[in-house]
Amino acid sequence: GGTSATSVRVASLLVRIIAMASAIAIGRSQPSDSQVLPVDFLHGVASGDPLSDAVVIWTRATPRGLVGPPTFPDGVMVATTGVNLIWEVWPEEAGAAPNRSGSAVAKEERDFDALASLRYAIFSCSSWQWGSFAAYAHAAQQKLDFWVHLGDYIYESGGEAMLDSYEAMKRSPTQPTHELLSLADYRERHAQYRTDPDLQSLAGAAPMIPIWDDHEVTNNDWMHGAESHAASQDGDFEARKNAAMRAYHEWMPTRHSAAPDAPLMRWRDFQFGDLAQLLVLESRLLARTQRPALDGEHMRELLMGAVAAAQGGGVLPAPTEWGGSALEGKFKELKTMAEKSRWQENSRLLGFEQLTWISEMVANASARGVRWNLLAQQLRQPLASPNFEEALHRAQMSSDEGVRSRSGIWDSAWANATTAPLGQATYLKDSLRPSIPSPDEYQRHDISPQMRTWALAALAAGRYGINTDFEGWDGYLAERQRFVDALSHGGASGAGKVVVYGGDSHNAWAGLMRGHAGNVVAHEFDGMSVTSRGEEYHTPWLPSDLRNAAWVAANKDLAWADTQHRGYMLVSLSHEAHKVSYLAVDTTLPGTTGKSMCLATFVSVEGQDAFRKETC
């Protein structure tokens, strides 16, 4: 399978499927020969999972005033949702059994032996409650060949919009307003998302290649449970998971009927001639094991508890006097606890079968002379906790006058957060919108006791290397090494030959993946969220560029970070180069009415260990 740069633009196919669905819904299911039943297409159209000879095309027809079930021709199936009958209409590929998800498949012959380039976008983490889907509208204008969603396409939580109007567009409450548990719940939330004009514009412009993360079911889930699922209150997890996955496939243009464990969708591949191979991985529901009891949130609580205990006992030394103190001893003890938890050999995330498949696929691609091995997965590259002290030191010593000029501002902000007397310590809040200050950016805010405790805990985490995020690769380091080995053993690794995409963290990162011998195995690019809040909401009292610098200072293979903006990654791919741009958008306004900007652009070429940064 695969797709070409020209054929995957499916506007004509979408027009044809609308006409087909309308004819089926109106012409074939009218109450009588003389009566025409009107329908509404409230949820737009979408296409997905493009192959060399087919693309899945999806739409829904909502009839007006129909009483009783409609009649459909052979090969067409319907699904009902809620009180009102909703038709999911799809003809199947020749010889295939009817697909329960409700997808329409249209075929078109393609020649991609001479495929020279691809242009695609990568998204993750799109919460209804946290702002507009302007990133989708912006990408719809980019003439994409396809787009990838790395998960958290919907969120299961319910309620009102989370943010102030200057931070994000105020939306109507989620539908339903409560947390999702049943099949009807998940269907209703998917339906609400599909009414968004920005999502509809992108869905109608290019095929989608999706994979879920956790919030399509519930927060921090794994094979047989979830951190946010209590059986006593929420019922059977397997029933909830299956309901969520059924609704997912009903509302997404996915090709999954051939999977033996449907409704779960296994890892899959997309082939683009000798230009590229895209492997889409699954890291949530098929192999992930439950995390040990000590997780990142617990570790943060222990760190803050150690600081608070010292504060409460009146024995908190200044950070410059931590060396040799009882508090330093406690921090080192927490470091040992964290590393033991993170390196659990039996903690699985991808699983043996998927790792074997990855190794075989990259080996096969290398043997066929495929230029690029691309891997789309949900996780951010593993990173050590940000080291603010090292970032400040580097800024003071920098030969870059612009960086040195910022060091004074950083020093002042860090001193206010960690040592200045409370009641006198203040901060200025960074803007959350591209190039637009927020109303309170010009007002000083007090550093609270809670902020002080958090800042000192963050200082300790950076100084002593204590990781406080165990949910992704950071908490599955043995499995991470197995993943690196799978790429290396497959023969695809090498400078500028393998690219790994990630999401989940809500922020943006660009770094290198290394093997046992320190060799570069892959370039890793992790994108920011469409709307979901990131680091900037946890530490509003720090300048965003100081946060970014602290992450880079703590991680030698991390070249760049942005911990403030929402948006997406735009990729231009040719045989010669892989070019990724991080594009930020304004989530306070819908569509393309708000400002946008390019944060950074990186180019990977074969034979060069490091990617290079270019002007946007």
Side-chain angles (χ1 to χ4, degrees), residues 72-285:
F72 288 90
D74 293 340
V76 175
M77 301 183 68
V78 298
T80 58
T81 304
V83 176
N84 297 319
L85 189 68
I86 307 295
W87 302 346
E88 292 175 337
V89 185
W90 68 98
E92 287 296 330
E93 294 179 87
N99 178 328
R100 61 178 155 180
S101 73
S103 58
V105 180
K107 289 193 171 184
E108 186 175 273
E109 292 301 322
R110 298 173 171 90
D111 175 17
F112 56 60
D113 289 339
L115 182 62
S117 64
L118 286 170
R119 184 174 174 85
Y120 51 96
I122 302 174
F123 302 87
S124 63
C125 306
S126 39
S127 171
W128 182 271
Q129 296 162 290
W130 289 339
S132 80
F133 293 161
Y136 293 152
H138 190 275
Q141 299 183 332
Q142 297 289 345
K143 297 182 179 180
L144 302 175
D145 294 316
F146 61 89
W147 56 291
V148 179
H149 201 293
L150 298 176
D152 295 345
Y153 165 81
I154 67 164
Y155 277 66
E156 81 287 3
S157 58
E160 300 283 345
M162 295 287 194
L163 307 175
D164 293 328
S165 58
Y166 68 82
E167 296 175 311
M169 183 181 76
K170 298 291 283 187
R171 284 187 181 270
S172 60
T174 59
Q175 298 173 7
T177 56
H178 57 263
E179 183 177 350
L180 309 182
L181 292 172
S182 68
L183 177 58
D185 290 343
Y186 286 102
R187 282 171 166 171
E188 188 174 357
R189 184 65 55 80
H190 274 282
Q192 181 181 35
Y193 269 60
R194 284 285 178 193
T195 63
D196 182 83
D198 296 338
L199 175 57
Q200 287 189 8
S201 67
L202 180 58
M208 177 189 195
I209 298 177
I211 188 63
W212 54 72
D213 196 14
D214 54 337
H215 288 288
E216 283 83 356
V217 181
T218 189
N219 186 49
N220 291 349
D221 56 11
W222 49 289
M223 275 194 298
H224 304 304
E227 176 186 296
S228 297
H229 182 92
S232 60
Q233 178 178 337
D234 302 324
D236 179 65
F237 177 76
E238 294 299 321
R240 182 182 188 180
K241 177 177 71 176
N242 289 336
M245 290 297 97
R246 178 176 175 181
Y248 181 89
H249 288 302
E250 287 178 355
W251 284 92
M252 301 287 271
T254 56
R255 178 184 284 103
H256 75 289
S257 58
D261 52 357
L264 296 185
M265 180 170 54
R266 295 166 67 86
W267 46 91
R268 60 209 200 277
D269 67 287
F270 297 88
Q271 302 295 326
F272 302 93
D274 68 353
L275 175 61
Q277 167 180 264
L278 173 64
L279 305 184
V280 181
L281 310 186
E282 200 286 334
S283 63
R284 275 291 171 188
L285 300 176

Side-chain angles (χ1 to χ4, degrees), residues 327-482:
L327 184 60
E328 182 181 62
K330 179 62 176 179
F331 290 147
K332 290 182 176 180
E333 177 186 332
L334 293 178
K335 162 74 170 180
T336 301
M337 291 171 56
E339 293 308 292
K340 181 179 179 179
S341 179
R342 298 172 68 213
W343 280 99
Q344 293 286 325
E345 184 66 28
N346 59 353
S347 290
R348 293 284 178 169
L349 198 150
L350 298 175
F352 175 78
E353 184 181 357
Q354 186 171 189
L355 287 167
T356 300
W357 174 80
I358 292 169
S359 182
E360 292 173 348
M361 290 297 294
V362 295
N364 180 267
S366 296
R368 290 186 287 113
V370 174
R371 175 64 188 82
W372 296 97
N373 272 278
L374 313 171
L375 293 97
Q377 44 92 62
Q378 297 90 330
L379 310 170
R380 184 207 69 188
Q381 56 199 282
L383 297 173
S385 295
N387 191 325
F388 293 97
E389 293 175 303
E390 179 62 21
L392 292 168
H393 173 72
R394 290 186 182 185
Q396 294 164 356
M397 303 301 293
S398 176
S399 59
D400 186 317
E401 183 178 347
V403 173
R404 286 201 312 276
S405 68
R406 290 292 294 169
S407 68
I409 297 173
W410 292 1
D411 285 337
S412 175
W414 188 243
N416 273 332
T418 57
T419 59
L422 292 177
Q424 301 177 26
T426 61
Y427 70 96
L428 288 171
K429 183 181 289 187
D430 268 353
S431 169
L432 303 180
R433 301 165 63 184
S435 305
I436 304 175
S438 61
D440 67 347
E441 186 176 4
Y442 305 107
Q443 302 174 20
R444 285 205 164 267
H445 302 265
D446 290 335
I447 295 289
S448 68
Q450 293 79 11
M451 290 178 181
R452 170 62 49 81
T453 301
W454 197 104
L456 291 172
L459 188 158
R463 180 185 294 186
Y464 299 105
I466 305 170
N467 196 282
T468 61
D469 182 2
F470 298 175
E471 177 57 18
W473 284 122
D474 296 280
Y476 293 80
L477 293 182
E479 184 81 337
R480 168 72 176 192
Q481 192 57 61
R482 289 187 283 265

